[in-house]
Amino acid sequence: MEKKLIFTFLYILVFPALILLISGDLFWPAGWIFCIWFILLCFSTILYLYRKDPALLAERYRKPGTGNQEGWDRSVVYGLAIGFVAWIVIMPLDAKRFGWSPVFPFWLNMLGGAMLAGSFFLFFRSYTDNTFLSPLVRIQEDRKQRGVSTGVYGIVRHPMYLGGILMFIGAPLLLGSGYGLLTGLGLTVLLMARITREEVLLARDLDGYPEYMQKVLYRLIPFLW
């Protein structure tokens, strides 16, 4: 596991390095803010799971197509992975190297930073509150999966997805990338479609989930959806 962790940490560093290298400005302040945010989020989450919840960490390493993952979800996982890399590449090209988008007003940059703060909170708490937080849509019979309704799961039914959406929208606002924002919105639509199909499975096969849906009414945004 230690070797896998070292590889994971090196792999995570690839994305901040890409952002700064592609931007053409190694001293890009907004780029550094996002890169530090990204590294802190990933490293702190992985170290927490390594120490407190190794079973969930092992689940997070599960490969697509294993563990009775829903067949349709394999395409979604690959689509999210490709979209994420495109999002990472597009933002520095747009915001810094070529300047395709007009300069964003400062208040939008600040809004993006606030959204990233909220994203950090929701991501981290999702992992600490739900030991069954698999990257794949599947019923974890091997781990005796049960429903979770406490913590951030008492606010919305899919807090980690909400954290992802805040990241996909907040980062391009912080960096000043209109094309990154469009890419992030595309990833948001894909996540929302995944939620809709995932909930059909959970309501059908996970004990107590229909009752949970009655208790926590909103998937992502209170009073909206």
Side-chain angles (χ1 to χ4, degrees), residues 7-154:
F7 175 81
T8 301
F9 289 146
L10 293 175
Y11 173 75
I12 288 168
L13 292 174
V14 167
F15 296 105
L18 269 178
I19 287 175
L20 294 173
L21 289 173
I22 292 174
S23 74
D25 183 358
L26 296 180
F27 301 98
W28 182 23
W32 271 102
I33 291 172
F34 175 68
C35 289
I36 292 171
W37 174 91
F38 183 82
I39 292 169
L40 287 176
L41 172 65
C42 295
F43 280 27
S44 62
T45 300
I46 292 171
L47 289 173
Y48 172 86
L49 294 180
Y50 178 72
R51 295 180 61 188
K52 300 293 187 179
D53 197 347
L56 177 54
L57 182 59
E59 178 67 27
R60 297 302 300 180
Y61 278 118
R62 184 174 290 278
K63 296 179 180 179
T66 63
N68 70 308
Q69 180 191 14
E70 292 289 291
W72 58 266
D73 188 53
R74 292 182 65 181
S75 299
V76 174
V77 169
Y78 289 127
L80 288 170
I82 293 170
F84 178 80
V85 173
W87 178 76
I88 287 287
V89 170
I90 287 170
M91 288 191 293
L93 287 177
D94 176 19
K96 194 64 180 176
R97 182 174 288 272
F98 297 119
W100 295 325
S101 297
V103 176
F104 283 21
F106 182 68
W107 69 268
L108 273 183
N109 303 141
M110 294 298 292
L111 176 61
M115 293 176 77
L116 288 178
S119 174
F120 193 111
F121 172 78
L122 288 169
F123 266 126
F124 193 82
R125 282 295 303 270
S126 295
Y127 287 108
T128 61
D129 292 343
N130 184 4
T131 189
F132 303 106
L133 197 61
S134 178
L136 313 179
V137 173
R138 74 184 194 97
I139 298 299
Q140 301 168 54
E141 296 176 355
D142 52 316
R143 300 185 62 213
K144 297 180 173 57
Q145 182 179 0
R146 63 183 182 277
V148 175
S149 60
T150 56
V152 289
Y153 286 85

Side-chain angles (χ1 to χ4, degrees), residues 70 72 130 132 136-140 145-147 153 157-158 161 194-213:
E70 292 289 291
W72 58 266
N130 184 4
F132 303 106
L136 313 179
V137 173
R138 74 184 194 97
I139 298 299
Q140 301 168 54
Q145 182 179 0
R146 63 183 182 277
Y153 286 85
R157 300 202 293 262
H158 301 277
Y161 288 144
R194 190 190 202 198
I195 287 171
T196 302
R197 297 202 63 174
E198 182 177 355
E199 286 203 328
V200 173
L201 171 71
L202 293 172
R204 185 187 69 207
D205 295 339
L206 185 62
D207 290 342
Y209 200 80
E211 292 77 13
Y212 172 61
M213 294 172 72

